């Protein structure tokens, strides 16, 4: 006897007949970022701070090119990378790469949840019993709480007592250090005259072997 389908399985089969048409931030939802436009959860940012909104489809190369150029300007003192849902991993990657490129950046990380409303619309039928062709497609709204990550990188010192603070890395840029393969190759190189000395003094018995073979 077959087991009855679980509520989650029934919901999954139902959603197969729908497609997501848009996502929007739910007004007044818990964990909505505030503090002014472009500031995210950091309400006390200096004027001119750059806010990079990282999305799931964003290209890291493009984000870092703009971020690096912006932080190279003396007037830009801070930058914020923010992303939610599946973009959180890419948000961390952008911040870590920029910290390697620009030494001495102070960091504050904030993790919270954002309320996002997804609007789904039913796929065009096949005619279904009891539905006229002129009837509009059915739609439904799904409210989700998704993780949201914001990372502040600042040239100026920040309060080390605030949650999520991380001081600048004491290690220099790896690109400024000689790479290990270069030193290993130099160690493997024979000393001057070493190779010729080995060739000029064959091992005992080598000449006899050659004479025997001829």
């Amino acid at each position: 006897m077959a087991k009855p389908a679980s509520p989650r399985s029934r919901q999954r089969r139902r959603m197969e007949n729908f497609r997501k048409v848009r996502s929007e931030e739910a007004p007044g939802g818990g964990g909505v970022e505030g503090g002014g436009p472009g500031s995210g959860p950091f309400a006390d940012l200096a004027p001119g701070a750059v806010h990079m909104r990282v999305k799931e489809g964003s290209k890291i190369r493009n984000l870092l090119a703009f971020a690096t150029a912006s932080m190279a300007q003396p007037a830009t003192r801070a930058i914020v990378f923010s992303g939610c849902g599946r973009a959180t991993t890419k948000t961390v990657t952008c911040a870590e790469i920029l910290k390697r490129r620009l030494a001495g950046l102070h960091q504050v990380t904030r993790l919270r949840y954002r309320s996002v409303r997804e609007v789904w619309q039913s796929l065009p039928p096949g005619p279904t019993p009891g539905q006229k062709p002129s009837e509009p497609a059915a739609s439904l709204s799904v409210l989700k709480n998704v993780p949201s990550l914001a990372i502040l990188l600042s040239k100026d010192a920040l309060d080390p007592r605030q949650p999520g603070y991380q001081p600048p890395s004491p290690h220099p840029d790896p690109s400024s250090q000689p790479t290990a393969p270069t030193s290993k190759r130099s160690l493997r190189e024979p000393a001057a005259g070493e190779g010729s000395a080995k060739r000029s003094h064959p091992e005992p018995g080598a000449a006899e072997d050659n004479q025997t073979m001829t």
Side-chain angles (χ1 to χ4, degrees), residues 135-204:
E135 289 182 357
S139 63
L140 58 88
S141 178
V142 179
L143 188 64
K144 289 185 176 181
N145 288 329
V146 296
S148 176
L149 184 67
I151 301 176
L152 167 64
L153 300 177
S154 174
K155 297 178 182 176
D156 303 321
L158 302 172
D159 184 3
R161 297 170 297 179
Q162 59 181 317
Y165 173 79
Q166 182 176 337
S169 173
H171 303 290
D173 189 349
S175 61
S176 62
Q177 300 178 350
T179 56
T182 304
S183 59
K184 289 182 180 179
R185 285 197 298 269
S186 62
L187 292 175
R188 288 198 300 266
E189 292 177 357
E194 181 181 349
S196 59
K198 289 182 178 180
R199 288 192 296 270
S200 60
H201 298 283
E203 296 179 357

Side-chain angles (χ1 to χ4, degrees), residues 29-112:
V32 178
E33 295 179 352
S39 65
F42 307 103
D44 54 350
L45 286 181
V50 178
H51 191 181
M52 305 292 296
R53 296 187 180 275
V54 183
K55 299 182 180 179
E56 185 179 351
S58 301
K59 294 188 178 298
I60 295 179
R61 179 177 57 186
N62 297 340
L63 293 170
L64 287 173
F66 183 84
T68 305
S70 299
M71 290 294 281
Q73 302 176 9
T76 304
R77 308 302 302 171
I79 188 169
V80 176
F81 291 96
S82 67
C84 65
R86 296 182 179 180
T88 53
T89 302
K90 192 172 294 186
T91 303
V92 175
T93 301
C94 291
E96 290 299 323
I97 294 177
L98 187 62
K99 284 167 56 181
R100 294 191 186 101
R101 292 184 178 181
L102 304 176
L105 294 179
H106 298 258
Q107 176 178 336
V108 175
T109 304
R110 298 282 171 81
L111 176 64
R112 54 177 58 193

